[in-house]
C-alpha cells in the first residue's frame, strides 16, 4: 500500500506526548502514513534561535499536509502566535471545528451537532496595530471580499457534501456596519446559489445566549476570525471541553490539523493529558487524505473506550493516564 507522507510539528508542553500517543494509535490502525517530524515552538527557539526550523517549513511545503500539536504562545508579549503565522503564510483560510455531543460525557446539553467555520486569515487577527501614545492603541480589523467569499462558500459546500441542512452567519453588522455589513451581504448573495440549504443570520451576542439555551437549533455556523475563536471554544464547552474537539485548517493548497487546546506546560511530562482531540484531529487528516475507513475505525475504537468508562483520563472524570487510555484504544483496534 502506498503511504501518504505528512509533516508533524511536535510543539512544546504536552505536544510531544500527544504526537507519540497519536502515532501509536495511527500505527495500530494500520494508517498508511509516513512522517517527517520536527520540533517547533518556544523550546526550539531557545535551542536554535528559530521557532520553526527552515527544514520544517520546507517539509510542509512539500507534503502540504500537517499534523500539529500545541505550541506555547506568550501572552501580551514575545513572539506572535505560530498558528496565526502559519495560517497567514499558507492561506489556511478555513478553520473547521466539528462539535458533537458524546454520549459517554455527561453535560447539561444533549444532541449538539454543530460545525463551525471560522475565517482564519484576517479580521483583528491580521495584527495591524498602531501605538498612538502610551495611553492609546488602535487595532485595525481587516475584512476583504475574497476572504469572506472563501469561508462562506466553504461552509455551504460542506453543507451540500455532508447532507447538512442550515448555515447560520454570525456577525455584528448592527454596530460594525461596513466591515460586518459586507460579510453579511456576501453571505446573503452566496446563499442564493444554494437554494436547498436554509440560510439565516444572528448577531454575535444573541448567538452566545442562544447557544446555551437551545444549541440544537444550530447546524453549520460561519463567521469572521475573532467571533469564531470565541464561539468555537464556547461550543466546545457544550460537549465536554477542548479535550474532545478536533479541528482542521484548510486552504486551497495546504491543510493543517491540530487540537485546539493549549500546550499545558504545567502538566508536561506527567503523561496525564487527554489525547482525544489530537487523535480525532488526526482522523480528520485521514479523511482529507481519502482514508476515511481507517479514520472511522479509530473513531469507533475511541467511542468504545469512552462508553465503557474504564480507562478515562482525569478531565473525563477517570483515573487513567494517557498511556492506559491509548493502550485501551489500541486494544479495541
Amino acid at each position: 500500500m502506498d503511504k501518504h507522507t505528512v509533516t508533524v510539528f511536535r510543539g512544546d508542553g504536552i505536544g510531544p506526548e500527544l504526537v507519540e500517543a497519536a502515532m501509536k494509535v495511527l500505527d495500530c490502525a494500520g494508517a498508511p502514513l509516513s512522517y517527517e517530524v520536527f520540533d517547533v515552538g518556544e523550546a526550539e527557539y531557545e535551542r536554535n534561535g528559530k521557532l520553526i526550523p527552515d527544514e520544517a517549513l520546507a517539509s510542509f511545503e512539500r507534503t502540504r499536509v500537517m499534523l500539529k500539536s500545541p505550541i506555547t504562545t506568550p501572552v501580551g508579549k514575545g513572539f506572535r502566535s505560530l498558528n496565526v503565522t502559519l495560517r497567514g503564510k499558507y492561506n489556511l483560510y478555513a478553520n473547521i471545528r466539528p462539535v458533537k455531543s458524546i454520549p459517554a460525557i455527561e453535560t447539561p446539553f444533549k444532541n449538539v451537532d454543530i460545525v463551525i467555520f471560522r475565517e482564519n486569515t484576517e479580521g483583528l487577527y491580521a495584527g495591524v496595530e498602531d501605538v498612538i501614545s502610551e495611553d492609546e492603541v488602535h487595532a485595525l480589523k481587516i475584512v476583504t471580499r475574497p476572504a469572506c467569499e472563501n469561508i462562506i462558500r466553504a461552509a455551504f459546500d460542506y453543507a451540500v457534501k455532508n447532507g447538512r441542512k442550515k448555515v447560520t452567519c454570525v456577525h455584528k453588522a448592527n454596530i460594525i456596519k461596513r466591515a460586518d455589513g459586507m460579510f453579511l451581504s456576501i453571505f446573503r448573495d452566496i446563499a442564493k446559489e444554494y437554494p436547498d440549504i436554509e440560510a439565516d443570520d444572528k448577531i454575535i451576542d444573541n448567538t452566545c445566549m442562544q447557544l446555551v439555551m437551545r444549541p440544537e437549533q444550530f447546524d453549520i455556523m460561519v463567521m469572521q476570525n475573532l467571533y469564531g475563536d470565541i464561539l468555537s471554544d464556547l461550543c466546545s464547552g457544550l460537549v465536554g471541553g477542548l479535550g474532545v474537539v478536533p479541528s482542521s485548517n484548510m486552504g486551497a493548497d495546504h491543510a493543517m490539523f491540530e487540537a485546539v487546546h493549549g500546550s499545558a506546560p504545567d502538566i508536561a511530562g506527567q503523561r496525564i493529558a487527554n489525547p482525544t482531540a489530537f487523535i480525532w484531529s488526526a482522523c480528520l487528516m485521514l479523511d482529507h487524505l481519502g482514508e476515511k475507513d481507517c479514520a472511522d475505525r479509530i473513531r469507533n475504537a475511541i467511542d468504545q473506550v469512552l462508553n465503557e468508562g474504564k480507562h478515562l483520563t482525569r478531565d473525563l472524570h477517570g483515573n487513567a493516564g494517557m498511556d492506559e487510555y491509548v493502550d485501551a484504544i489500541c486494544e479495541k483496534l
Side-chain angles (χ1 to χ4, degrees), residues 273-291:
N274 177 6
T276 305
F278 192 65
I279 298 171
W280 273 341
S281 297
C283 289
L284 294 179
M285 180 180 72
L286 289 173
D287 292 338
H288 173 71
L289 292 170
E291 304 292 344

Side-chain angles (χ1 to χ4, degrees), residues 108-315:
F109 306 95
K110 309 298 179 185
N111 302 316
V112 176
D113 188 2
I114 301 169
V115 183
I116 295 175
F117 276 73
R118 166 191 172 190
E119 201 291 313
N120 230 1
T121 61
E122 54 181 33
L124 285 169
Y125 285 61
V128 181
E129 297 182 290
D130 190 11
V131 178
I132 306 303
S133 72
E134 63 179 14
D135 299 316
E136 184 177 356
V137 176
H138 292 182
L140 187 63
K141 178 176 180 175
I142 307 295
V143 182
T144 67
R145 181 171 295 274
C148 295
E149 290 176 345
N150 280 342
I151 191 65
I152 292 167
R153 199 172 297 282
F156 278 100
D157 287 343
Y158 182 97
V160 172
K161 183 178 179 181
N162 293 276
R164 313 290 290 214
K165 303 300 183 185
K166 183 171 79 169
V167 179
T168 300
C169 175
V170 182
H171 62 88
K172 192 64 177 175
N174 58 323
I175 302 298
I176 308 174
K177 296 184 181 295
R178 292 189 176 181
D180 284 33
M182 183 171 76
F183 189 88
L184 178 58
S185 175
I186 293 170
F187 173 83
R188 289 172 174 166
D189 287 342
I190 290 177
K192 295 173 185 175
E193 302 174 21
Y194 299 83
D196 295 331
I197 306 297
E198 180 183 351
D200 69 351
D201 67 271
K202 281 185 170 55
I203 296 171
I204 177 66
D205 39 316
N206 178 43
T207 303
C208 293
M209 180 183 70
Q210 295 291 333
L211 277 167
V212 297
M213 292 178 66
R214 292 192 303 113
E216 67 277 3
Q217 70 183 283
F218 295 101
D219 188 351
I220 292 176
M221 305 171 73
V222 62
M223 63 209 73
Q224 296 170 68
N225 208 331
L226 178 60
Y227 306 148
D229 194 3
I230 295 169
L231 284 192
S232 55
D233 276 21
L234 189 159
C235 289
S236 298
L238 302 178
V239 300
L242 294 175
V244 291
V245 176
S247 87
S248 59
N249 299 272
M250 309 297 293
D253 300 312
H254 295 78
M256 180 173 73
F257 303 86
E258 60 178 340
V260 290
H261 54 67
S263 59
D266 56 319
I267 61 170
Q270 298 181 37
R271 306 190 73 81
I272 60 174
N274 177 6
T276 305
F278 192 65
I279 298 171
W280 273 341
S281 297
C283 289
L284 294 179
M285 180 180 72
L286 289 173
D287 292 338
H288 173 71
L289 292 170
E291 304 292 344
K292 189 175 187 306
D293 289 344
C294 183
D296 285 344
R297 287 196 297 109
I298 294 173
R299 292 184 182 107
N300 289 336
I302 293 174
D303 287 345
Q304 290 179 55
V305 173
L306 292 175
N307 289 329
E308 287 180 356
K310 297 178 182 178
H311 306 283
L312 303 184
T313 52
R314 295 180 187 180
D315 62 312

